[in-house]
């Protein structure tokens, strides 16, 4: 067993698949979506080819990240069934699926629970003011709807990842209010595993003409979030959106302990390539931080998972120490 010290930062070796880029919402900061009818659905055979390539590469998480079909559209069922089938396929091929497909009905969530070790949805910000601006044409970003997803995940005992999108026109008070709401859900259901503090990062596709969230502010936000959130919720920051090494370290010193899924491409922010794990290690190690792989579900939730989820999970928990030891060896040698 590898000794994990208190100066440990985690990441999830992940691959993102996109069932569809089509989305009926038009969040003005989005660099991901395409208009209705402009994107096809990822086929099961294409997904199978991807998963085959990924096998034995020490990638545990498949992040299923999708644009959304309107809940009343005649195509909603087809859309949902494809996501469901993609999750089932990923699980059957040995991976640990984590789905963020936007707003789901209670029944849809209940069905996906069977094939996902955890699920995710960013709250963004709870203030209704954004419905006049960046979310004017994004019905899925209704704050009550999003908060309800966290509650439903709690009722269904689905380990959940959520977070805030920072710098989209909200106030500082809005951050604390959104974090307090997350804490409240967690107090009731104990189902929130991590909170992502995601700095808005402009990309080439978006219409929202607004500067990036000032990375120098992030450590302060993290420190305050650490005060508001219960200790068993991990704070995640995306390292590719905090470019400066010093500020990345400052974020960690302030209380962030996870760097999210590290995959070949950041589908949400394609203009900001991921820093790969070896490179991250070079930044962290001199400051005394150990980088360790984790699974897309935190250990305190293992008992919520059953059937094939439990089988895959046990397999991955066993091989995790091995992955960490192998991947940390070269970095410590070639420094
Ligand atoms: O595990 C998760 N990771 C989420 N991540 C992190 C993700 O694991 C990686 O940073 C990459 O996006 C993977 O390609 C997000 C990253 C973003 O830039 C924006 C949103 C998300 C949302 C999630 C999520 O719901 N669950
Ligand atoms: C999947 C998640 O990606 C985040 N997201 C969407 N667009 C951007 C952007 N330009 N910069 C940073 N994060 C973004 C939102 O928080 C969304 O919920
Ligand atoms: S951020 Fe999500 S909901 Fe908003 S437009 Fe993009 S894909 Fe759709």
């Amino acid at each position: 067993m590898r000794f994990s010290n208190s100066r440990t930062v985690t990441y999830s070796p992940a691959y993102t698949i996109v069932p569809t880029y089509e989305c009926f919402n038009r969040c003005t900061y989005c660099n991901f979506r395409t208009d209705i009818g402009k994107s096809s659905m990822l086929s099961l055979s294409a997904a199978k080819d991807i998963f085959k390539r990924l096998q034995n590469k020490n990638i545990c998480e498949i992040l299923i990240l999708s644009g959304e079909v309107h809940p009343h559209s005649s195509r909603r069922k087809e859309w949902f069934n494809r996501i469901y089938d993609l999750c089932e396929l990923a699980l059957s091929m040995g991976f640990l699926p984590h789905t963020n497909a936007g707003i789901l009905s209670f029944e849809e969530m209940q069905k996906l629970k069977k094939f996902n070790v955890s699920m995710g949805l960013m709250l963004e910000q709870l203030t209704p003011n954004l419905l006049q601006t960046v979310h004017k044409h994004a019905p899925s970003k209704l704050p009550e709807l999003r908060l309800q997803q966290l509650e439903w995940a709690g009722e269904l005992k689905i380990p959940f990842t959520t977070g805030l999108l920072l710098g989209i026109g909200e106030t500082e008070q809005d951050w604390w209010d959104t974090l307090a709401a997350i804490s409240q859900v967690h107090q009731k259901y104990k189902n929130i595993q991590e909170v992502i503090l995601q700095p808005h990062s402009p990309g080439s596709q978006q219409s929202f003409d607004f500067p990036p969230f000032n990375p120098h502010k992030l450590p302060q936000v993290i420190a305050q979030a650490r005060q508001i959130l219960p200790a068993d919720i991990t704070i995640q920051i995306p390292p590719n959106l905090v470019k400066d090494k010093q500020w990345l370290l400052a974020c960690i010193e302030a209380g962030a302990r996870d760097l999210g899924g590290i995959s070949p491409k950041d589908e949400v922010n394609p203009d900001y390539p991921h820093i790969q794990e070896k490179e991250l290690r070079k930044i962290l190690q001199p400051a005394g931080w150990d980088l360790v792989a984790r699974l897309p579900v935190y250990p305190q939730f293992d008992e919520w998972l059953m059937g094939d989820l439990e089988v895959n999970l046990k397999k991955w928990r066993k091989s995790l120490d091995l992955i960490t030891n192998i991947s940390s060896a070269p970095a410590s040698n070639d420094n």
Side-chain angles (χ1 to χ4, degrees):
M1 186 64 147
R2 189 190 163 84
F3 177 73
S4 79
N5 67 36
S6 59
R7 285 177 76 83
T8 294
V9 177
T10 56
Y11 76 102
S12 170
Y15 189 92
T16 307
I17 61 164
V18 177
T20 183
Y21 292 95
E22 166 179 331
C23 191
F24 78 98
N25 298 291
R26 282 180 285 136
C27 307
T28 60
Y29 48 73
C30 183
N31 295 277
F32 176 96
R33 73 175 295 281
T34 61
D35 284 334
I36 296 171
K38 290 273 154 55
S39 295
S40 55
M41 294 280 304
L42 177 65
S43 72
L44 290 174
S45 65
K48 196 167 188 175
D49 289 344
I50 297 172
F51 297 154
K52 273 189 201 150
R53 273 198 289 115
L54 296 176
Q55 266 165 344
N56 306 315
K57 290 227 160 66
N58 287 334
I59 285 170
C60 40
E61 171 176 2
I62 300 296
L63 173 62
I64 298 107
L65 192 67
S66 192
E68 303 168 39
V69 167
H70 195 285
H72 297 150
S73 161
S74 58
R75 292 166 47 248
R76 175 77 180 191
K77 214 174 174 153
E78 182 199 348
W79 172 86
F80 177 77
N81 287 342
R82 183 60 55 85
I83 292 174
Y84 181 88
D85 291 344
L86 288 166
C87 293
E88 182 178 29
L89 180 66
L91 186 67
S92 76
M93 292 178 72
F95 300 100
L96 302 175
H98 168 107
T99 297
N100 175 353
I103 298 288
L104 298 168
S105 72
F106 187 85
E107 289 71 28
E108 287 169 340
M109 247 192 203
Q110 194 166 31
K111 284 181 181 158
L112 288 184
K113 171 185 158 86
K114 206 168 131 195
F115 302 133
N116 282 271
V117 293
S118 62
M119 293 178 67
L121 184 86
M122 301 283 280
L123 276 186
E124 319 298 8
Q125 295 291 341
L126 282 186
T127 171
N129 294 342
L130 300 176
L131 296 170
Q132 310 301 321
T133 56
V134 289
H135 295 150
K136 192 166 185 176
H137 303 288
S140 291
K141 303 277 158 141
L142 272 169
E144 317 88 83
L145 271 186
R146 292 183 97 75
L147 198 55
Q148 187 181 53
Q149 299 280 291
L150 270 58
E151 296 251 354
W152 283 350
E155 283 175 38
L156 289 164
K157 289 196 180 304
I158 298 171
F160 214 75
T161 293
T162 186
L164 281 65
L165 183 53
L166 304 167
I168 51 172
E170 76 286 359
T171 66
E172 296 202 1
Q173 188 56 47
D174 294 333
W175 302 336
W176 321 135
D177 293 347
T178 305
L179 288 162
I182 296 171
S183 299
Q184 268 185 8
V185 173
H186 187 67
Q187 262 160 29
K188 200 159 151 199
Y189 300 102
K190 294 274 179 277
N191 67 317
I192 309 296
Q193 54 177 4
E194 50 181 1
V195 165
I196 304 176
L197 295 176
Q198 173 94 351
H200 164 249
S201 308
S204 52
Q205 300 300 311
Q206 71 186 52
S207 62
F208 181 47
D209 186 13
F210 214 66
F213 182 76
N214 179 358
H216 299 174
K217 271 198 181 160
L218 202 50
Q220 268 169 264
V221 185
I222 294 167
Q224 180 74 13
R226 200 52 288 167
Q227 297 294 311
I228 298 173
L229 294 170
D232 57 347
I233 298 181
T234 301
I235 296 178
Q236 175 187 135
I237 51 158
N240 58 321
L241 306 184
V242 188
K243 271 286 158 57
D244 190 298
K245 286 177 193 176
Q246 286 325 108
W247 287 107
L248 183 61
L249 287 171
C251 287
I252 294 167
E253 295 294 347
R257 288 290 179 277
D258 183 75
L259 302 178
I262 305 292
S263 61
K265 182 184 174 191
D266 185 339
E267 290 283 355
V268 179
N269 295 107
D271 302 296
Y272 301 78
H274 271 305
I275 312 171
Q276 292 305 310
E277 163 255 318
K278 216 172 151 179
E279 203 55 37
L280 283 171
R281 225 175 268 285
K282 278 194 194 157
I283 299 172
L284 298 175
Q285 251 175 8
W289 290 101
D290 203 6
L291 185 66
V292 173
R294 64 152 171 97
L295 304 184
V297 58
Y298 284 65
Q300 66 265 35
F301 298 104
D302 283 10
E303 61 204 40
W304 285 7
L305 305 182
M306 276 162 278
D308 290 344
L309 294 173
E310 190 186 354
V311 173
N312 284 13
L313 183 67
K314 287 201 166 137
K315 184 195 80 178
W316 278 108
R317 287 248 178 266
K318 270 195 192 138
S319 60
L320 200 64
D321 281 333
L322 199 61
I323 297 175
T324 310
N325 286 324
I326 293 167
S327 60
S328 61
S332 46
N333 288 341
D334 64 13
N335 262 342

